Amino acid sequence: MELYIDDADLKEICRLYELYPIDGVTTNPSILAKTGRNPVQVLKEIRSALGSEAVIFAQVIPTDVSGMVRDAHALVSLLGDRTVVKIPSIPEGFRAIRDLSAEGIRTCGTVVYTPLQAYLAAKSGAAYVAPYINRIDNMGFDGVGMVKKMQDILDLHEYDTKILAASFKNSQQALDLCTYGIKAATCAPSVIDGFVNNAAIDSAVRNFVADFLKVSNGKASVAELIG
Ligand code: G3P
């Protein structure tokens, strides 16, 4: 499963990118607004921090077809080839996804709340569709169940589109979807840290170090003990 950081805080992005096997960063206008800074400048800094190979998802702002296509071109020229342009999965968005796919620009049908929205974005040629698990849960529906249904539809009709599951509130949701074979997930830094936030893991690591020190004459590593 591809794993992305759903955040625009450069410090957090760099911390996670250094430690975890992360594929890139996903943003949306609200995530960028949380930085309180010029969104174009923030996107440029994320690209420069991650390098040209990382995948960055960035969203168009207009809601008409030509405006979406124009913003998509602007984002690709700002951030380079390894950019996936997020397009809201509304009627105008499906058309923009179709036009951009024909040009070879990779898109993500975002703001997905229903399986049929995912179907339409996939059929329009989106490389990804991004359903919002937590927001679906908050509407009184089963977000994880809804995403599984979307995956079933994509598999059944043999679309290459990957689901980029988004809006997680905990690692259980990520585990459920990873187990189901969802191809990509984007999570806030706290949710990614939560994948390994477990007292038993910390205690096991502490015990291994303590046991080594009992017989290593105070040397705190194998390299040090060899000398
Ligand atoms: O990027 C879109 C999605 O992750 C939104 O998440 O937490 O605002 O529901 P959230």
Side-chain angles (χ1 to χ4, degrees), residues 11 13 39 176-177 199 207:
K11 215 168 134 208
I13 290 171
D176 275 353
L177 293 177
N207 286 340

Side-chain angles (χ1 to χ4, degrees), residues 1 13 24 37 88 115 128 135 147 161-162:
M1 184 172 75
I13 290 171
R37 301 177 54 225
Y128 294 86
R135 296 192 195 189
V147 174
T161 308
K162 294 177 186 173

Side-chain angles (χ1 to χ4, degrees), residues 15 55 60 66 68 80 94 105-106 178 206 208 222:
R15 178 181 70 80
V55 178
V60 300
S66 62
M68 287 176 173
F94 301 134
I105 292 180
R106 299 206 309 151
C178 194
R206 268 198 312 274
F208 285 136
V222 175

Side-chain angles (χ1 to χ4, degrees), residues 20-93:
Y20 295 98
I22 299 281
D23 295 284
V25 165
T26 63
T27 64
N28 65 33
S30 308
I31 288 172
L32 290 167
K34 273 190 214 149
T35 66
R37 301 177 54 225
N38 178 329
V40 165
Q41 184 58 29
V42 175
L43 285 169
K44 275 166 73 176
E45 287 173 15
I46 294 173
R47 169 57 77 209
S48 131
L50 299 189
S52 56
E53 284 307 301
V55 178
I56 297 178
F57 287 69
Q59 191 164 325
V60 300
I61 306 302
T63 52
D64 62 294
V65 179
S66 62
M68 287 176 173
V69 169
R70 197 169 54 242
D71 256 18
H73 290 151
L75 286 166
V76 172
S77 87
L78 180 75
L79 299 171
D81 286 344
R82 302 279 287 170
T83 303
V84 179
V85 180
K86 291 170 89 176
I87 311 268
S89 298
I90 57 176
E92 294 78 3

